[in-house]
Amino acid sequence: MADPSGSQRQSLYKPLGSPSWKEAFRQGCLERMRNSRDRLLNKYRQAGGNMPGRTQNTLLVQEVMEEEWNALQSMDGGPEVLAQLEQPMDLAVLEEIQQELIDQEQSIISEYEKSLQFDEKCLSIILAEWEANSLICPVCTKYNLRITGGVVMCQCGLYIPCHVSVPHTDF
């Protein structure tokens, strides 16, 4: 026979099957990080891509964690989450989640840097090909294109700046 006080005690705890606040926070942070990829890359570009040390690892992590924390608090039971956070183990969980986000952020930045390197390599190959073969200007169809200081230009006024610097060449 079931004890009625047992059901009262059970009601004090979260229902079985519901995710803990820690797991909900972790999943929410990871989802926010995935959805904030554009924002992360824009911050990375604005910073110039060459940021020293630990700063590079946390372009967006702190913001994502704060946004998710605020969202978690605004849900039902938010104040109870704060009361539970006083345990040292919970702080370790937050640090673990932060490290996961930093790793994910680094993965996104690394993928972006590889893409940039690939683009630069392709541009270098194209410019080298132009050096090997004369190329007539597509605008005026009269003069050959030249590359000077990373700029493709023609006597007709065509001027295309490139980020890859190559020596002066006439086609």
Side-chain angles (χ1 to χ4, degrees), residues 3 7 12 20 23 37 45 97 101 104 116 138 141 158 165:
D3 183 19
S7 63
L12 296 175
S20 70
E23 191 56 34
R37 180 184 177 99
R45 290 179 194 124
I97 292 170
L101 294 173
Q104 185 174 8
L116 283 180
T141 64
L158 177 70
S165 181

Side-chain angles (χ1 to χ4, degrees), residues 100-116:
E100 281 183 53
L101 294 173
I102 289 171
D103 293 345
Q104 185 174 8
E105 184 177 80
Q106 278 304 108
S107 172
I108 291 169
I109 290 172
S110 176
E111 180 182 323
Y112 175 71
E113 287 175 341
K114 286 177 185 175
S115 174
L116 283 180

Side-chain angles (χ1 to χ4, degrees), residues 33-127:
M33 183 62 82
R34 281 190 290 276
N35 293 337
S36 300
R37 180 184 177 99
D38 289 337
R39 195 168 61 162
L40 170 63
L41 293 179
N42 285 336
K43 282 183 174 234
Y44 181 72
R45 290 179 194 124
Q46 289 171 357
N50 295 323
M51 296 167 42
R54 183 114 172 115
T55 308
Q56 183 178 6
N57 293 338
T58 57
L59 287 172
L60 197 61
V61 170
Q62 194 64 38
E63 286 179 39
V64 166
M65 289 184 78
E66 287 173 9
E67 289 171 5
E68 187 60 28
W69 186 253
N70 290 336
L72 188 65
Q73 286 178 324
S74 67
M75 293 173 40
D76 290 335
E80 293 144 13
V81 169
L82 286 176
Q84 295 173 9
L85 185 63
E86 295 175 9
Q87 301 173 5
M89 187 174 101
D90 292 339
L91 295 176
V93 168
L94 290 176
E95 288 174 359
E96 180 184 321
I97 292 170
Q98 182 179 24
Q99 188 58 49
E100 281 183 53
L101 294 173
I102 289 171
D103 293 345
Q104 185 174 8
E105 184 177 80
Q106 278 304 108
S107 172
I108 291 169
I109 290 172
S110 176
E111 180 182 323
Y112 175 71
E113 287 175 341
K114 286 177 185 175
S115 174
L116 283 180
Q117 289 173 353
F118 178 77
D119 290 347
E120 288 177 8
K121 188 176 181 180
C122 287
L123 183 58
S124 294
I125 290 170
I126 290 170
L127 293 176

